[in-house]
Amino acid sequence: MFNQSFIKKSVLTASVFLYSSVVLAQKTPLNILPSGHLLVQAEVEGKKGNFIFDTGGGINLFLGNFSKNLAPKESYNFLTAFRATGEKMTVPLFKSKEVIVNGKKFKDTWYATHDMEIKGIDGLLSLPMFYDTEFIIDYTNKELIFPKEKLSGNKVLDIQLSTNADQSLDISTYILLNNTYRINVLLDSGAGNDSFWLSDRLMGTLGIKKESLQLIEKKSEFDPAIINKFYKGSVDAVSNSFVKVDKPNVLFVEGLIYEGKTSINWLGKKLGFNLKEKKIHILD
């Protein structure tokens, strides 16, 4: 899921996403913020907005004044979930009758709301409604693409799906740390670029002493009473069968509920997603 502290400065310096964008051949522009966050235009119940495209968000989330203009206003449905840091969140659940993204209509999509305002951002769009729709994130041409032909190619990365009652959906994959240790990581475009979080439980495995790392403490954006602890360091390498990143900066996160969590930009410049078949195609 996106982190407000990572994107706030980027949003303030980014121009407002243009509503006049023309959808051509199932392509729509992605506004890639300096932080690496992906901003896409969508229409929810006839109301246009700008949304972070967040593969780690789990469920569509609409913020502040945007959410207040959507019906219904109350719901007895709710979702209890955990942020990557272990922070428990219980949010009301609603269903949008129609969401239009890149000219395609998605019906009866679950979403949550939160009373938060972020300048230039109306919420986030996540993966559940794209389960039956292949899509491509093109970092070079800054486009979100719904391909007309089925995705194919030689570089195919296996992914795993995590869901809660088909309301939320996250994706993960296996990577190697230091060419040796195989771990499963959440794939989170909402983390921006070049983000590598590892569980603090892995420090012992990697022979890293906590005392040798820089401690960073951050208050939760959702509950200021919660303070999360991050230990800044590096590892020798992060890799999979197709790509390797040498000496990446990493954050060891106290209480991380995953073995790891990473951004997606390091996987390739053009990524095709087929959630139903649990595949990511590395197209460039």
Side-chain angles (χ1 to χ4, degrees):
M1 179 181 286
F2 76 90
N3 188 308
Q4 184 184 0
S5 61
F6 281 119
I7 66 175
K8 186 175 181 180
K9 292 182 181 178
S10 300
V11 172
L12 292 177
T13 58
S15 59
V16 176
F17 200 56
L18 298 178
Y19 289 144
S20 59
S21 302
V22 177
V23 175
L24 181 63
Q26 293 298 98
K27 299 180 180 180
T28 194
L30 284 174
N31 188 5
I32 302 179
L33 304 180
S35 59
H37 291 85
L38 309 174
L39 194 63
V40 66
Q41 179 192 353
E43 187 175 313
V44 183
E45 312 290 13
K47 181 178 175 60
K48 293 181 179 179
N50 301 317
F51 303 92
I52 296 291
F53 192 92
D54 190 354
T55 62
I59 192 170
N60 288 355
L61 177 68
F62 302 136
L63 302 177
N65 291 328
F66 187 90
S67 67
K68 292 174 184 176
N69 290 327
L70 301 176
K73 303 299 182 183
E74 297 181 2
S75 173
Y76 53 80
N77 295 119
F78 64 92
L79 172 67
T80 298
F82 294 86
R83 301 186 72 200
T85 54
E87 180 181 349
K88 180 180 177 180
M89 294 188 66
T90 299
V91 292
L93 283 184
F94 308 92
K95 267 194 176 181
S96 52
K97 294 180 180 179
E98 182 177 87
V99 180
I100 302 176
V101 183
N102 195 12
K104 183 177 177 65
K105 297 179 180 179
F106 299 89
K107 303 287 188 179
D108 298 325
T109 303
W110 288 105
Y111 71 90
T113 62
H114 188 70
D115 189 15
M116 173 192 289
E117 296 289 347
I118 304 177
K119 185 176 180 180
I121 296 177
D122 298 299
L124 64 86
L125 298 181
S126 199
L127 294 178
M129 67 183 184
F130 297 103
Y131 180 78
D132 292 310
T133 301
E134 290 187 315
F135 64 91
I136 296 170
I137 293 175
D138 188 336
Y139 281 95
T140 301
N141 295 309
K142 300 181 180 180
E143 293 176 327
L144 173 66
I145 304 167
F146 295 159
K148 292 183 177 180
E149 298 181 355
K150 186 175 176 59
L151 290 170
S152 62
N154 296 323
K155 294 184 178 181
V156 181
L157 189 65
D158 290 327
I159 59 175
Q160 298 77 46
L161 308 186
S162 299
T163 184
N164 180 79
D166 292 335
Q167 296 165 337
S168 64
L169 177 63
D170 290 314
I171 57 175
S172 61
T173 193
Y174 284 94
I175 65 169
L176 285 180
L177 289 180
N178 296 352
N179 305 306
T180 302
Y181 305 104
R182 186 172 183 260
I183 68 168
N184 189 259
V185 298
L186 181 80
L187 294 176
D188 183 11
S189 65
N193 280 348
D194 305 319
S195 173
F196 298 94
W197 287 15
L198 300 175
S199 168
D200 64 336
R201 296 165 62 95
L202 293 170
M203 283 196 246
T205 302
L206 297 170
I208 296 174
K209 294 183 178 180
K210 184 179 292 187
E211 305 81 50
S212 67
L213 303 179
Q214 177 188 353
L215 171 62
I216 301 172
E217 294 184 333
K218 294 182 179 179
K219 291 182 180 181
S220 165
E221 299 88 355
F222 295 90
D223 184 353
I226 296 177
I227 298 177
N228 298 305
K229 293 184 178 181
F230 303 80
Y231 296 87
K232 187 177 181 179
S234 65
V235 294
D236 291 338
V238 171
S239 61
N240 60 28
S241 300
F242 307 109
V243 62
K244 181 179 180 181
V245 180
D246 291 314
K247 301 293 183 181
N249 293 321
V250 303
L251 290 174
F252 291 96
V253 183
E254 195 171 281
L256 190 70
I257 64 173
Y258 311 106
E259 293 176 337
K261 181 177 80 74
T262 79
S263 53
I264 66 171
N265 69 295
W266 70 281
L267 298 175
K269 297 178 180 178
K270 189 175 183 179
L271 305 173
F273 294 75
N274 184 320
L275 301 180
K276 184 178 289 187
E277 296 183 5
K278 302 180 182 179
K279 305 290 183 184
I280 293 178
H281 296 259
I282 302 174
L283 305 173
D284 186 13

